[in-house]
Structure formats: structure tokens, C-alpha cells
Amino acid sequence: MAPRHLLLTVLEFNFSNYVRKPTMPTQTDLKAWSSLIIRKLITGPIPIATVFVLLTLISWQRWPDLMVDYGQQLYLPWVVSEGQVLYHDAQYFHGPLSTYVHALIFSIFGVGILQLALFNLVLIALVTFLIYRLCDYLGDAYTATVVSLTFISVFAFAYHMGFGSFNFVTPYLYDLTHGILLSVLILFLFYRYLKAPRLRTLCGLGFLLGLLFLTKVEVCLATLLSMGGGLLIFWRRQRLPFKKLILNATVFASCAGLVLLITLLYFSLHMPVSESIRYVFNQYLQAGDPAIRELPYYQFTLGLMHFQDNLQRMGMHAATFAGVVGLVLFLNHLLSRGGHNTRRVSFVAGAFTVILLILMFRTLPWLELTRSFPLFLFLFGFYLAWQLQRESIPSQTTKRRVILWALVVFALTLTFKAFFNFRITDLGFALAMPATLVMVFFLLHSLPRLAERISGKAVFVRTVTFVSVLFFLAVPLPNTYFAYQNKTYPIGTGTDRIYDFQPMVRYPDGRMFSRGLIANQTLDFLKKDMMEGQTLLTLPDAMIFNYFLRKRFPTRNTLFSPFTMRIHAESEILSRLQSSPPSHILLVHSDYSWFGQRYFGTDFAREIYKWILADYKAVAQFGVEPFTSRQFGVQVWKRRTNRDK
């Protein structure tokens, strides 16, 4: 063979081996590809990331409430990043973890509201991923996607009320939201431990539980009860030898205790050991204080206020929910027996469900659909415990039931603070979140599996529950969207810029919503009137002004609400203020009717108010006079000079 022909033969051989001729895809290939594309579009990261990004853009710099609580969550990390020590230099009732983490953020990236918001957005994204993975393991990708979307749309970016303190980006209390997010991480790591029991994973669980202790008391107790019980059940089912059981428990407790020991050692460097112990454990010691539990706010939250009405609502919601679920199961069974439980029939049923929900839109109390969830969580948890008790040989199903039982117990325990008035508004934005996610999982995964056991098919059940849950997710979105879009009035500059409602917006009762305008006027005045090094006392709770102006409190006392006055003696607080008087005092209107004492200076803190009247003079007022009506207003007081006296 000639060299030229040999070369052509070799090239042809190589080409034929590496480049195949295009072939027409078969019908099976097309179905597989289209099914894969559809599955990727409607499940997993694409829809979750899309909703997350859209809600982030819609709510950008509109997350916090200007006056309700959030100022404390800014002021404390700022002063800690400047060298102050929590509890010693600035009083705080809750754990130190969130404050010190945010102080670290300020130290690295600079002080700014946007820095904290971005950090917490990253936390929300991480926890959404963990929720998806956990639900995917316990159920399937469709269920995991919808549960993750529930967390993002109904809770993480929630705006169900007239102010923005109840979301996971800029909440009224970061210790609560960080505690919830940290609990999700702990439960996810617990699931990893059940899959592959390793000592290092157990160490991680103990370490994270120690960190959780430094957040919020109810979240820590709920996680300890659920995960501790889950570990004991798992170890018992594994039939661990007694010595290994003791070793595991010791390692777990030691890692949790190590975190507490390091925390106490840090604070003991700045204050007596007895005080550091008292401050770190303070919220746990005060949790059962009857004087606090009898406050109207906690009575309302728990549901003991209007108890009979709340109990009736709870029973009505439970009966309605059980009746609807029973009806759906019954119709699914009838369709299966007649051979009509098909996709075509279920599509018609889904369309009918949407029409029915639209017609009932104004009738159904959407924000109160969670009222009966504590009862069903109790039944769900009892059923799982009974199933675990029946199993004699541990299996993969056992591990799934253990982690699901732990999730149910965690969600159920968090409902105890609002058991008879359990809604997704107010504190429910955090406390109702785990319970709602578990119930969504039940509707989308557990209920169809139950229907399959009863009837053999669950196409009808899957369609109706899927459509109903998606409709539930869509209901709060318009309110969230319009609430955020109406916040267009800027306050602050740069990374501290946030937006409040326009001054021309009115409350439902006709009052003008003028907080933003008054806040800007006050800030402009104080920027001109205050000199470097002067201190500012804001009463009773308006630390947002201290933060914007970067002015410290004159003493360690920063909050002067009726709740604080029940814990700390007013005479002690007044003595500190008199020994280190501020140059300026702001009296900012606030109504504490929910705490049993409405106005500062009239119903509580009378001695402090008398001291202000004697030693200070009013130099400016913006809005109406504080503590005289429902209208918002601010007074600026300046310390009297010898000439004034």
C-alpha cells in the first residue's frame, strides 16, 4: 500500500473511533431528556434560588423596622466591636453568641446594617440548602423543594404585619433566628450521625449545642429535648454496650460544656466569676419567673388571654383540617377502586381545587392556618414513637423515623410558647417555622404514602395537596411585595441606609406614618448639636439613634422598658445615670400596653423621669409630645448648665 493511502487509512480509523456520526434520538431518549429537564426546572436549586434572589431584590434595604427593637441588635455589636464587653459595659438579657458574631463581622468588613443583612442572607441560603438535603433524604426532591420554598417565602422574608421586625434578615432578636438556624444545622448533623455514627460527628453535635446554649432559651431547650431523645432512642436501637454508651454521652456533654467553659472564662476576665455565670445563665434562670409570664404580652402570645376563644379556634381548625384530609383520602380511595385515579382526573381535581381556594380566599384565615398544628404534631410524634417501639431490628427506615421524630419533637416544643394562639405572625415567624415545614412535609410525602397503603394509588392526593400547599405559599407574597415596595423613604447613608414608609402613608385608623421623617429631623439636629465624645441616652428603647450617630450610652443600661424594670431595680439604674450623666437625652414615644405599663415616666420609670425634669431642659421636639397620645414624637433634652439652674 502506498504511503499516502496508508496515512489516509490511519486518519480515517482514528476519526471513526473518536467522532461518531450523528444519529436521530429515539422516542425513549426524547422522553428521558424532557423528563430530566422538567424535573430540573421545577425541583431543586433552580426554583429555590430564583425565589430567593427575587425576594432579596424586592426587599433590598427594606428589611428592618425603624423603631421596634432592631436598634439594640445594631448598637450592641457596634460597641463590642469598639472594645466594650457585653454584660459588663452593656446590659443584655439573652445569650452573647449573636452579638459577638456580628461584632466580628463589623470588625472585618466595617460597621453597617448592610453587612449584617448580607451575612444573614448567607445564613438563610445555607440553612435552605440543609433543609432541602434533609427533606430529600426523608422524602423526595419535590417535597424538599416545596418545603424549602415555604421557609423562604413564608418565613425568611416575611412581612405579615405592619412593621418589619419578623423576618430572618433583620429580626427583632437575632438570638432567636440564629438559634433556629443553628438548630437546623444541628439536626442535619444529627442525620449525618445516624447514617454514619462517628465520634467526631458526636463532638460536632456537642460543640454546636454548646453554641446554641448562648442564643435563646426556648430554642436551646427544644433542640436539647429533641436531639437528646433522638440520640437515646438511636443508641438503644443499636444496642450499644453500656461502656460505649457512657463514652458517647460523656464526649457529647464534654464538647457542649467546653463551649460554656470558654465563654465563662472570657467573661470572668472582665467581671467576677459569679457575675459572669449569672449573666450567661440569666435567661434560663428567668424563664420560669411568674412575674414575667403574667405580663399581658406573654399571656396573649401563649393564648391564655381570650383562652376560650383561642381553644375554640384551635378545635375548629383541627376538625376542619382532619375533615379535609379525610375527605381527600376517601375520594382518592373511590377513584382508585373505580380505576379513575389517573393523571388526567387528578389534573381536573387540581384545577377545581385552585378555583375553590380562590373563591374561599377572603373567607379562610390564611395567617392562622397553623393554629391546629401543635395537636397534629403531637399525634405525628406519638405515631413515630410507636413505630420505633415496634421495630426489633434497626434499618434505614429506623434512622429516617428517628430523625423525623426528632424534627417533630423540636417543632412541637417550640409551639409551647404560643400553644393556644399559634400563628405565623408575630413570634410565629420563627416559632411556627419548624412546625409548618413538618406539616408541609406530612402533606406532600407522608399523606400520599398513607393513601398508597390504603388504596394502592395516591395520584389524586398528591395533586390536591401539592396545589393546596403552593396556593398557601402564594397567599402572603402580594402582601410582602407591596409592603416592601411602599418603603421608599430613606434613612441613614451608605451601608447604614434603610427605607421606611413615606410620611404621607396612613395607618388604618387614619394616623400619619411619620416615623421616618421625624427620625431624620432628629438625626440632623443631633449631628449639629452634639460634639465628639458626648454621650446620648435614648429612652425608653430607641438605640437606633445611638447607632446612627455612633454615640454610646453613658452607662451599661441601654433598655428601659417595663420588662427591664421588673428585672433591675430602678433605684440602681438611676444611681448609675446620676453618677455618669449624658449630655443629651432623647425621649422617643413608645407604647408598652402589652407589658402592663403603658407610658414611660407615667406608668413606670417615674423616678428617672423626675431626674430628667430636674437636671435637663427640652431644646427641641419633632412630632407630637411623646407619651401623650398614639402619635409618634421625639423630644431632645440637654443637660442644664449652672446658668440654667
Side-chain angles (χ1 to χ4, degrees):
M1 181 180 295
R4 183 171 61 86
H5 295 291
L6 179 62
L7 179 61
L8 290 174
T9 304
V10 172
L11 290 175
E12 185 180 358
F13 172 80
N14 289 335
F15 184 80
S16 64
N17 273 278
Y18 291 99
V19 181
R20 296 180 180 178
K21 295 180 180 179
T23 57
M24 292 296 293
T26 64
Q27 188 175 3
T28 305
D29 293 334
L30 290 174
K31 287 184 178 180
W33 293 347
S34 60
S35 176
L36 179 62
I37 292 172
I38 293 173
R39 195 182 306 118
K40 291 295 182 182
L41 288 175
I42 65 176
T43 65
I46 293 179
I48 296 173
T50 302
V51 173
F52 181 88
V53 171
L54 286 176
L55 287 175
T56 300
L57 294 175
I58 289 170
S59 62
W60 189 255
Q61 292 184 305
R62 293 168 170 84
W63 307 291
D65 188 87
L66 177 61
M67 299 307 306
V68 182
D69 297 324
Y70 188 63
Q72 186 183 47
Q73 305 303 305
L74 297 170
Y75 175 81
L76 292 177
W78 166 61
V79 295
V80 169
S81 69
E82 292 284 315
Q84 287 195 357
V85 177
L86 194 65
Y87 306 129
H88 180 267
D89 300 311
Q91 277 188 346
Y92 193 49
F93 181 73
H94 305 289
L97 181 64
S98 298
T99 299
Y100 275 86
V101 169
H102 285 166
L104 180 63
I105 298 297
F106 281 166
S107 299
I108 296 174
F109 301 104
V111 179
I113 297 175
L114 189 58
Q115 282 86 318
L116 295 190
L118 290 174
F119 172 72
N120 284 278
L121 284 170
V122 171
L123 291 184
I124 293 170
L126 173 62
V127 170
T128 304
F129 169 76
L130 297 179
I131 290 173
Y132 178 86
R133 287 289 306 276
L134 196 56
C135 292
D136 190 24
Y137 168 73
L138 295 172
D140 53 69
Y142 289 97
T143 303
T145 301
V146 178
V147 171
S148 301
L149 290 175
T150 304
F151 167 62
I152 294 173
S153 60
V154 181
F155 298 100
F157 294 90
Y159 209 109
H160 303 306
M161 303 293 289
F163 45 88
S165 294
F166 301 127
N167 61 70
F168 279 72
V169 186
T170 56
Y172 79 99
L173 188 66
Y174 275 114
D175 303 275
L176 178 60
T177 56
H178 286 174
I180 297 287
L181 300 179
L182 192 57
S183 297
V184 174
L185 177 58
I186 290 173
L187 291 168
F188 179 81
L189 194 62
F190 177 51
Y191 134 72
R192 299 290 298 179
Y193 176 76
L194 295 185
K195 289 186 67 177
R198 296 187 179 93
L199 210 57
R200 65 173 180 265
T201 309
L202 198 60
C203 288
L205 283 171
F207 178 78
L208 291 176
L209 187 65
L211 292 178
L212 185 62
F213 184 88
L214 305 176
T215 58
K216 195 74 165 65
V217 53
E218 58 264 36
V219 184
C220 181
L221 294 179
T223 307
L224 180 62
L225 181 63
S226 62
M227 196 188 63
L231 283 173
L232 291 177
I233 292 173
F234 178 68
W235 288 339
R236 182 182 176 187
R237 306 306 294 166
Q238 295 293 109
R239 294 183 174 87
L240 291 180
F242 182 74
K243 288 184 178 180
K244 191 170 183 181
L245 182 64
I246 295 298
L247 174 64
N248 286 349
T250 303
V251 168
F252 176 72
S254 299
C255 291
L258 181 62
V259 176
L260 298 181
L261 180 61
I262 294 172
T263 303
L264 293 174
L265 286 175
Y266 165 76
F267 286 113
S268 65
L269 296 175
H270 304 279
M271 64 187 81
V273 176
S274 59
E275 286 190 15
S276 64
I277 294 174
R278 178 163 60 90
Y279 287 131
V280 172
F281 287 84
N282 186 39
Q283 61 172 330
Y284 294 88
L285 299 175
Q286 298 287 343
D289 187 350
I292 295 176
R293 293 299 170 192
E294 290 173 1
L295 292 173
Y297 175 75
Y298 292 103
Q299 294 287 303
F300 174 79
T301 301
L302 181 58
L304 296 180
M305 186 184 292
H306 313 300
F307 175 71
Q308 186 174 356
D309 180 59
N310 285 328
L311 200 61
Q312 289 177 350
R313 287 170 179 261
M314 192 179 194
M316 181 184 67
H317 279 257
T320 304
F321 188 85
V324 171
V325 168
L327 178 62
V328 171
L329 288 174
F330 177 70
L331 292 176
N332 183 82
H333 185 65
L334 287 182
L335 290 172
S336 298
R337 286 183 60 183
H340 302 298
N341 201 347
T342 61
R343 290 186 178 181
R344 182 175 299 177
V345 173
S346 67
F347 178 80
V348 175
F352 177 77
T353 303
V354 171
I355 295 171
L356 184 63
L357 289 173
I358 292 174
L359 293 175
M360 299 177 64
F361 179 78
R362 297 186 180 278
T363 306
L364 292 175
W366 295 101
L367 298 181
E368 298 189 5
L369 292 181
T370 55
R371 277 187 177 271
S372 63
F373 284 5
L375 298 177
F376 291 104
L377 287 173
F378 178 80
L379 295 175
F380 201 13
F382 181 80
Y383 170 77
L384 289 170
W386 177 66
Q387 288 288 341
L388 288 168
Q389 186 66 29
R390 288 180 58 195
E391 294 176 350
S392 57
I393 302 175
S395 62
Q396 284 297 117
T397 304
T398 305
K399 295 177 181 179
R400 285 189 172 88
R401 283 177 178 160
V402 170
I403 185 61
L404 190 54
W405 179 87
L407 285 169
V408 170
V409 171
F410 171 68
L412 177 62
T413 308
L414 282 181
T415 69
F416 291 164
K417 192 171 182 177
F419 193 84
F420 299 105
N421 189 22
F422 196 64
R423 306 173 303 163
I424 62 176
T425 56
D426 303 324
L427 286 179
F429 89 100
L431 299 181
M433 187 271 285
T436 305
L437 300 192
V438 170
M439 291 301 294
V440 169
F441 179 88
F442 168 77
L443 289 172
L444 297 181
H445 181 74
S446 303
L447 189 63
R449 292 188 66 186
L450 176 62
E452 287 176 347
R453 292 181 183 178
I454 296 173
S455 310
K457 284 188 176 183
V459 181
F460 177 80
V461 170
R462 291 183 191 278
T463 304
V464 172
T465 54
F466 183 73
V467 169
S468 301
V469 170
L470 286 185
F471 198 89
F472 169 72
L473 300 188
V475 165
L477 289 179
N479 184 62
T480 298
Y481 174 79
F482 288 114
Y484 281 130
Q485 294 311 297
N486 285 329
K487 297 180 76 172
T488 57
Y489 187 77
I491 301 159
T493 58
T495 57
D496 275 332
R497 171 160 291 184
I498 59 175
Y499 292 90
D500 199 28
F501 294 104
Q502 284 288 343
M504 298 305 294
V505 173
R506 291 184 179 272
Y507 288 99
D509 60 5
R511 289 178 296 142
M512 293 289 279
F513 200 97
S514 55
R515 297 183 317 172
L517 176 62
I518 293 172
N520 274 338
Q521 292 172 342
T522 305
L523 291 171
D524 291 339
F525 176 84
L526 289 175
K527 286 175 183 177
K528 297 175 183 177
D529 197 65
M530 293 190 72
M531 295 183 292
E532 188 72 25
Q534 289 185 323
T535 55
L536 175 66
L537 175 65
T538 50
L539 298 169
D541 177 16
M543 279 174 268
I544 191 79
F545 289 102
N546 294 81
Y547 172 79
F548 276 132
L549 296 166
R550 302 295 193 267
K551 297 294 182 182
R552 296 186 181 183
F553 277 81
T555 67
R556 59 196 295 265
N557 299 99
T558 56
L559 184 61
F560 302 84
S561 67
F563 178 81
T564 306
M565 296 300 173
R566 285 178 179 267
I567 300 174
H568 306 288
E570 183 181 353
S571 58
E572 181 183 343
I573 297 173
L574 179 58
S575 177
R576 291 199 197 103
L577 292 173
Q578 289 173 334
S579 62
S580 181
S583 62
H584 292 70
I585 293 178
L586 279 188
L587 295 182
V588 183
H589 178 77
S590 186
D591 189 335
Y592 286 99
S593 298
W594 282 110
F595 288 89
Q597 296 171 303
R598 188 173 186 181
Y599 288 143
F600 175 89
T602 303
D603 302 303
F604 66 96
R606 297 185 186 92
E607 295 302 317
I608 295 177
Y609 188 61
K610 288 180 182 178
W611 166 70
I612 295 172
L613 294 177
D615 289 9
Y616 290 80
K617 65 176 181 178
V619 295
Q621 178 174 307
F622 304 99
V624 302
E625 183 180 351
F627 321 125
T628 58
S629 68
R630 298 185 64 194
Q631 297 285 347
F632 185 73
V634 176
Q635 277 185 342
V636 182
W637 293 67
K638 202 170 181 179
R639 196 177 181 201
R640 296 180 187 272
T641 62
N642 292 331
R643 181 180 299 179
D644 296 326
K645 294 179 180 179

